[in-house]
Amino acid sequence: MPLFRRLAVPALLFSASTALVYNTFDGEGFPACYNVTKVLSPTSVVEMVSIVKQAAKDGSRLRAAGKGHSWYDTQCSDAQTVIVRTEGVHGIYDFTLPSGATDGSVVVDAGVTFFQLAEYLHERGASVGYTLTNWNISFGGSVAMGAHRSSIREHSMVAAGALALDIIDGTGNIRHIERDDGNDEWLAASTSLGLLGIIAKIKLKIYPDTKVYAKQDTLDEKDVLNGDIYGLIAPFATANLWYWPYQRKFHHRYYDVVSPDSTPQEGFQNTFSVTEVEAIAARTLLDSGKYLPTSNMLAEEIFFGLWSKPNFREKTNNTEIHSWPVYGWNYDVLIGGLYPDQKPEWDYKLAGLTLELAFPVTMANQMLKRVRSLFDAELSKGIVMTSTYRSGINIKFGKAYFDLLGQGTYNTSDGADWTKGTVMFDFPSYRPTIGDHKRFNEQFYHKVANTLIAEFPCRPHWTKNSRDVLTKSVKNLDPDHLRRFNEVRKRFDPDGIYRSVVGEILGFYK
Ligand SMILES: Cc1cc2nc3c(=O)[nH]c(=O)nc-3n(C[C@H](O)[C@H](O)[C@H](O)COP(=O)(O)OP(=O)(O)OC[C@H]3O[C@@H](n4cnc5c(N)ncnc54)[C@H](O)[C@@H]3O)c2cc1C
Ligand SMILES: *[C@@H]1O[C@H](CO)[C@@H](O)[C@H](O)[C@H]1NC(C)=O
Ligand SMILES: *[C@@H]1O[C@H](CO)[C@@H](O)[C@H](O)[C@H]1NC(C)=O
Ligand SMILES: *[C@@H]1O[C@H](CO)[C@@H](O)[C@H](O)[C@H]1NC(C)=O
Ligand SMILES: *[C@@H]1O[C@H](CO)[C@@H](O)[C@H](O)[C@H]1NC(C)=O
């Protein structure tokens, strides 16, 4: 039927043209979708609705696109697809935070970024708390893909901060879904992978703005591997570890609230900005590390040294901050952004590959020891493996949060105890700009992924894993959760216009 319609009604919005490759934030050479016929940039929800209605009529496939902050070619299906960018749909409405109240709410359109909302809220004495990801990422894209920060004590998955969602389903109807743990429509919408439709609006919980501190300690590897990892993380509002396998060290970063009057400092964090000189030096060194492990060893040593110091500046006068702890406003300290005189590393072709898997936090020691043993196995062959990323291997955490496809869900058929929360192994690595772009000892990275997936009940992050990793991970997902999700999906999108590679791997379109 879709084909018939396309032939019968020629003057359509989506009349097929030659397909183009749509890239991730890393640009050329980093495809998100291979077969894109059009990229549309609506400026309102009403316009998005009419695009979906037209697509439903034509039988065209559609995928939303936020800020392109993903790593792999899994956004669309491989069949012809129209991209609907949400960047131009960025209204913020219905702010309420009565004075003295502990929380309130605000409604954002899909394309609103963390950066935009943080600025809006800070001006009004509010913040979204800890349900954060990095700055130039849309709320629609984050909620769709189950994105999260790192905390055991507080909810830090973006969807956990959502009170209601408006989703444009596969026929162009807007479905309003309120948070309700007893309703499979909510439990599917909470981590929808974009398969139920375009998330158009999100009602978010907000809090009075706070000042926070950031502190960082350096720990010996053996003290973490044999230590109380839960105890390093759970006491704080948000905390994580960065692992430096060649240094055999961890950085332990943690944050919590301080009274606003206790400090005049206004620290502003940067995670991704670099100067051109730094970028060229790093790129040259890391490219040579494709062939020479000594370059990677040197790179890890330099990165470790740099990352030991505060990656913060004083916001009011743009001067460097030299000592821990650093204090400042909630969002500036927890996320921050770019320094005015620098660019993000990917603008200088410093691009990465990654892998992210979530494990029950009760298995944190066992998992990290297994990772250590994989590094050691290379060492015993005379091959030194390192972290080739400027902030090391990111070990993040999550408070248990129940929905059908989230990384932090519980009550699953694997019998693992997910109720204490999760530990995530997020292993970014440098992708050489030269030759075949393969990393030094490329097979090591696949061995790490395959071993962890085979030996642990671990779950994938939905935008930080290759097709291969996602495919191998399916065995670790609860078949009943997948079935319940797919029942909701079929009601929302009976013709599968929002189909993606991720959805195909999960078996939803068989
Ligand atoms: C530098 C960097 C830092 C990151 N930090 C974190 C982090 O701290 N924690 C974390 O969990 N993740 C992190 N990520 C991953 C990121 O949060 C996710 O990939 C997120 O989905 C990207 O959102 P986006 O707005 O860029 O959307 P895109 O990359 O454009 O889209 C991602 C997916 O979401 C779908 N989508 C987008 N908008 C909508 C919508 N409105 N409705 C339905 N579906 C939609 C798209 O079709 C696509 O499948 C990071 C990524 C990068 C590059
Ligand atoms: C945010 O993303 C847009 C593309 O959507 C890009 O043009 C802009 O430079 C980015 N901003 C920063 C600060 O990286
Ligand atoms: C693009 O999609 C069409 C069908 O929609 C398919 O016939 C074609 O093979 C696809 N091309 C690629 C490169 O995958
Ligand atoms: C920048 O501001 C901080 C905090 O107000 C202050 O301590 C510092 O001396 C200032 N530095 C310069 C160079 O102005
Ligand atoms: C957990 O599973 C049991 C049995 O399958 C079910 O009765 C219960 O409602 C589930 N709890 C949640 C939060 O889904």
Side-chain angles (χ1 to χ4, degrees), residues 193-499:
L193 311 182
L195 301 177
L196 305 186
I198 302 178
I199 299 170
K201 283 182 194 291
I202 306 161
K203 183 178 180 186
L204 292 164
K205 200 164 172 180
I206 56 171
Y207 307 89
D209 207 358
T210 54
K211 273 202 155 179
V212 300
Y213 72 82
K215 189 154 180 344
Q216 182 171 288
D217 302 327
T218 300
L219 305 174
D220 282 337
E221 182 187 76
K222 63 177 177 352
D223 294 336
V224 174
L225 263 46
N226 300 313
D228 175 12
I229 296 174
Y230 185 89
L232 287 174
I233 304 299
F236 303 104
T238 146
N240 70 298
L241 298 167
W242 281 296
Y243 184 25
W244 303 92
Y246 174 61
Q247 306 299 308
R248 296 181 184 266
K249 300 276 186 202
F250 283 85
H251 283 133
H252 174 217
R253 177 73 70 89
Y254 47 100
Y255 307 80
D256 219 326
V257 175
V258 292
S259 123
D261 318 319
S262 64
T263 168
Q265 195 174 49
E266 294 193 27
F268 182 83
Q269 173 158 212
N270 131 59
T271 325
F272 300 109
S273 46
V274 283
T275 63
E276 188 170 10
V277 173
E278 287 167 346
I280 291 169
R283 207 169 63 213
T284 308
L285 187 59
L286 291 169
D287 274 343
S288 74
K290 174 173 169 56
Y291 306 108
L292 294 174
T294 45
S295 298
N296 298 330
M297 289 146 73
L298 178 60
E300 192 187 290
E301 200 165 319
I302 294 171
F303 291 150
F304 174 78
L306 291 171
W307 209 251
S308 298
K309 297 180 214 151
N311 55 324
F312 289 81
R313 286 185 185 174
E314 166 65 42
K315 197 182 188 182
T316 52
N317 58 18
N318 200 30
T319 54
E320 251 178 77
I321 292 173
H322 297 288
S323 57
W324 303 104
V326 174
Y327 302 93
W329 290 105
N330 174 295
Y331 186 82
D332 290 345
V333 171
L334 299 180
I335 300 285
L338 281 182
Y339 294 154
D341 51 341
Q342 300 187 1
K343 285 193 195 166
E345 51 195 353
W346 46 90
D347 281 7
Y348 293 113
K349 299 203 181 327
L350 284 162
L353 295 166
T354 196
L355 162 81
E356 186 185 313
L357 299 169
F359 305 74
V361 70
T362 51
M363 297 181 142
N365 297 79
Q366 196 187 332
M367 180 274 286
L368 288 173
K369 283 181 183 173
R370 189 68 179 106
V371 169
R372 178 71 257 171
S373 78
L374 293 168
F375 277 93
D376 287 343
E378 298 305 302
L379 211 51
S380 70
K381 294 185 273 177
I383 304 173
V384 182
M385 295 305 293
T386 68
S387 165
T388 53
Y389 196 69
R390 81 191 278 227
S391 50
I393 300 174
N394 200 350
I395 312 296
K396 295 188 256 186
F397 297 83
K399 185 180 165 96
Y401 173 79
F402 191 75
D403 65 9
L404 294 175
L405 298 182
Q407 273 186 304
T409 198
Y410 51 93
N411 209 14
T412 44
S413 59
D414 56 12
D417 181 8
W418 294 90
T419 61
K420 306 288 185 304
T422 52
V423 56
M424 283 93 162
F425 180 74
D426 176 2
F427 188 10
S429 52
Y430 180 72
R431 178 185 182 269
T433 63
I434 54 174
D436 60 3
H437 306 296
K438 296 256 187 292
R439 295 159 286 191
F440 171 71
N441 193 15
E442 174 73 27
Q443 64 273 25
F444 172 72
Y445 295 92
H446 304 282
K447 179 150 196 223
V448 170
N450 294 344
T451 304
L452 294 176
I453 295 166
E455 296 180 9
F456 291 86
C458 58
R459 302 176 184 149
H461 186 290
W462 297 116
T463 66
K464 293 187 166 188
N465 292 296
S466 65
R467 293 181 181 202
D468 182 49
V469 167
L470 293 174
T471 304
K472 293 196 165 99
S473 302
V474 174
K475 72 164 181 64
N476 291 341
L477 301 173
D478 186 328
D480 199 50
H481 282 199
L482 291 171
R483 180 191 58 75
R484 285 163 66 186
F485 180 89
N486 204 24
E487 275 172 19
V488 175
R489 188 201 61 77
K490 283 180 191 157
R491 293 204 296 274
F492 275 60
D493 183 26
D495 295 329
I497 72 169
Y498 293 115
R499 184 168 173 150

Side-chain angles (χ1 to χ4, degrees), residues 25 63-71 75 86 110 133-134 136-138 140-142 144-149 194 197-199 272 346 396 461 463-464:
F25 73 118
R63 284 296 296 185
K67 291 294 202 166
H69 274 57
S70 44
W71 275 263
Q75 175 166 354
T86 60
T133 65
N134 263 295
N136 205 7
I137 293 178
S138 73
S142 305
M145 306 312 286
H148 52 79
R149 192 180 163 83
I198 302 178
I199 299 170
F272 300 109
W346 46 90
K396 295 188 256 186
H461 186 290
T463 66
K464 293 187 166 188

Side-chain angles (χ1 to χ4, degrees), residues 6 19 34-35 61 78-81:
R6 183 171 299 168
Y34 294 110
N35 209 344
R61 290 194 185 167
D78 288 337
Q80 292 196 334
T81 302

Side-chain angles (χ1 to χ4, degrees), residues 18-81:
T18 48
L20 55 97
V21 174
Y22 188 81
N23 294 319
T24 72
F25 73 118
D26 275 319
E28 192 71 45
F30 297 86
C33 306
Y34 294 110
N35 209 344
V36 170
T37 49
K38 279 218 163 58
V39 179
L40 303 175
S41 300
T43 56
S44 67
V45 172
V46 172
E47 202 182 328
M48 289 202 291
V49 165
S50 69
I51 289 169
V52 175
K53 289 201 161 138
Q54 186 64 53
K57 246 193 234 161
D58 295 1
S60 291
R61 290 194 185 167
L62 277 191
R63 284 296 296 185
K67 291 294 202 166
H69 274 57
S70 44
W71 275 263
Y72 290 99
D73 54 353
T74 56
Q75 175 166 354
C76 302
S77 69
D78 288 337
Q80 292 196 334
T81 302

